[in-house]
Amino acid sequence: PRAACRPATVRVRCSRSGDRPWDLRDEPANRAFLAELRRANIEPAPWLDDTPRVVGDLTLELTGDPIEVFAMGAHFGTCLSPGGGNFFSVVANAADVNKRVIYAKRDGRVVGRCLIALTDTFAILVFNVYAHEDLQLETHVRDFVLELAREMGTTVAPRGTVRLLL
């Protein structure tokens, strides 16, 4: 899988050197997925929006920076860390428009994160929430995702299949 992810890695890195948005939404597979969302009457704009939301002393945001996505495992010492057994998955998380990372920050410092994805039925799937301290982050992520689903016109699912796009 590592060799197969190299072309996507190069595209992500090249996009980061240009103007925002840095995601690969204009890649044919991502563009097709967004068109599928629209045909299903699901609004993709909130999914693509990186506008931070303040909750108490935390800022929650869907990161649009692939460099931050590449660091998602390193912040918490998970298998998604560089050199970790599943780091290759981070490339898909950065390249595929159906996957997003929510970061929780305090004073600009990452204190929590959660990977979310859109399933093949266009519901939001929430993965494990990681936090450095007890921040009630699971509650904040739940509220963030429920609001996101409402804005998009979709639902949150407890399980589902998430497609590899790029």
Side-chain angles (χ1 to χ4, degrees), residues 102-154:
I102 301 171
Y103 272 122
K105 296 180 180 178
R106 179 181 287 134
D107 301 321
R109 179 179 55 89
V110 173
V111 295
R113 73 114 166 119
C114 181
L115 174 67
I116 61 175
L118 289 171
T119 67
D120 288 348
T121 59
F122 310 121
I124 300 174
L125 184 62
V126 181
F127 292 86
N128 290 333
V129 174
Y130 292 88
H132 288 301
E133 52 195 79
D134 182 15
L135 307 167
Q136 298 180 332
L137 192 55
E138 288 183 4
T139 300
H140 296 315
V141 166
R142 182 201 65 216
D143 294 347
F144 183 99
V145 170
L146 287 172
E147 177 64 17
L148 179 62
R150 187 193 65 71
E151 291 172 3
M152 293 174 66
T154 190

Side-chain angles (χ1 to χ4, degrees), residues 1-2 5 69-70 72-73 78-93 113 115 130:
R2 293 174 198 263
C5 74
V69 174
F70 284 140
M72 66 185 288
T78 71
C79 64
L80 298 176
S81 299
N86 289 323
F87 183 68
F88 64 89
S89 297
V90 174
V91 176
N93 297 341
R113 73 114 166 119
L115 174 67
Y130 292 88

Side-chain angles (χ1 to χ4, degrees), residues 2-137:
R2 293 174 198 263
C5 74
R6 283 195 185 111
T9 304
V10 170
R11 288 195 303 263
V12 168
R13 286 179 46 205
C14 288
S15 73
R16 178 56 170 77
S17 66
D19 295 330
R20 285 183 179 260
W22 292 322
D23 60 36
L24 300 178
R25 68 182 72 178
D26 291 329
E27 288 284 326
N30 282 337
R31 197 170 47 244
F33 184 83
L34 294 173
E36 287 180 51
L37 282 177
R38 290 183 189 98
R39 283 192 300 276
N41 293 316
I42 296 174
E43 177 54 51
W47 181 259
L48 299 171
D49 185 6
D50 299 339
T51 304
R53 300 172 192 192
V54 177
V55 180
D57 67 341
L58 294 176
T59 300
L60 274 71
E61 63 185 344
L62 293 167
T63 185
D65 186 342
I67 303 302
E68 287 187 349
V69 174
F70 284 140
M72 66 185 288
H75 288 295
F76 299 94
T78 71
C79 64
L80 298 176
S81 299
N86 289 323
F87 183 68
F88 64 89
S89 297
V90 174
V91 176
N93 297 341
D96 291 353
V97 75
N98 61 341
K99 300 163 186 76
R100 298 298 312 262
V101 178
I102 301 171
Y103 272 122
K105 296 180 180 178
R106 179 181 287 134
D107 301 321
R109 179 179 55 89
V110 173
V111 295
R113 73 114 166 119
C114 181
L115 174 67
I116 61 175
L118 289 171
T119 67
D120 288 348
T121 59
F122 310 121
I124 300 174
L125 184 62
V126 181
F127 292 86
N128 290 333
V129 174
Y130 292 88
H132 288 301
E133 52 195 79
D134 182 15
L135 307 167
Q136 298 180 332
L137 192 55

